[in-house]
Coordinates of all heavy atoms in Angstrom, one line a residue:
L47 N 9.3 8.7 -6.8 CA 7.9 8.2 -6.9 C 7.1 9.0 -5.8 O 6.8 8.5 -4.7 CB 7.8 6.7 -6.6 CG 8.6 5.9 -7.6 CD1 8.5 4.4 -7.2 CD2 8.2 6.1 -9.0
I50 N 3.7 7.3 -4.1 CA 3.8 6.2 -3.1 C 4.8 6.6 -2.0 O 4.6 6.4 -0.8 CB 4.2 4.9 -3.7 CG1 3.9 3.7 -2.8 CG2 5.6 4.9 -4.3 CD1 3.9 2.4 -3.5
Q59 N 3.6 15.2 7.8 CA 3.1 16.6 7.8 C 1.8 16.6 8.7 O 1.6 17.5 9.5 CB 2.8 17.0 6.4 CG 2.2 18.4 6.4 CD 1.9 18.9 4.9 OE1 2.3 18.2 4.0 NE2 1.3 20.0 4.8
R68 N 4.9 18.7 17.8 CA 5.4 17.9 18.9 C 5.7 16.5 18.5 O 6.5 15.8 19.1 CB 4.5 18.0 20.1 CG 4.5 19.4 20.8 CD 3.6 19.4 22.0 NE 3.9 20.6 22.8 CZ 4.8 20.7 23.8 NH1 5.6 19.7 24.0 NH2 5.0 21.8 24.4
G101 N 3.9 -5.3 3.1 CA 4.2 -6.5 3.9 C 4.8 -7.7 3.1 O 5.6 -8.4 3.6
R166 N 9.1 -8.9 -24.7 CA 8.5 -9.7 -25.8 C 7.0 -10.0 -25.4 O 6.7 -10.0 -24.2 CB 9.3 -10.9 -26.1 CG 9.5 -11.9 -24.9 CD 10.3 -13.1 -25.3 NE 10.6 -13.9 -24.2 CZ 9.9 -14.8 -23.6 NH1 8.6 -15.0 -24.0 NH2 10.3 -15.5 -22.6
Y222 N 1.2 5.9 -13.8 CA 1.9 7.1 -13.3 C 3.3 6.9 -12.8 O 4.2 7.5 -13.3 CB 1.1 7.7 -12.2 CG 1.7 9.0 -11.7 CD1 1.7 10.2 -12.4 CD2 2.2 9.1 -10.4 CE1 2.2 11.4 -12.0 CE2 2.8 10.3 -9.9 CZ 2.8 11.4 -10.7 OH 3.3 12.6 -10.2
L280 N -4.9 6.4 -2.8 CA -5.7 5.8 -3.8 C -6.4 6.8 -4.7 O -6.4 6.7 -5.9 CB -6.8 4.9 -3.1 CG -7.7 4.2 -4.1 CD1 -7.0 3.3 -5.0 CD2 -8.8 3.5 -3.3
Q326 N 1.1 -25.4 6.7 CA 2.4 -25.3 7.4 C 2.5 -24.1 8.3 O 3.4 -24.0 9.2 CB 3.6 -25.2 6.4 CG 3.7 -26.4 5.5 CD 4.6 -26.2 4.3 OE1 5.2 -25.2 4.2 NE2 4.8 -27.3 3.5
V370 N -17.1 14.2 -24.4 CA -17.4 15.6 -24.0 C -17.9 16.4 -25.2 O -17.3 16.5 -26.2 CB -16.1 16.3 -23.4 CG1 -16.4 17.7 -23.0 CG2 -15.6 15.4 -22.2

Side-chain angles (χ1 to χ4, degrees):
L47 301 180
I50 195 165
Q59 180 180 351
R68 288 182 170 273
R166 56 180 171 83
Y222 181 70
L280 179 61
Q326 302 170 356
V370 179

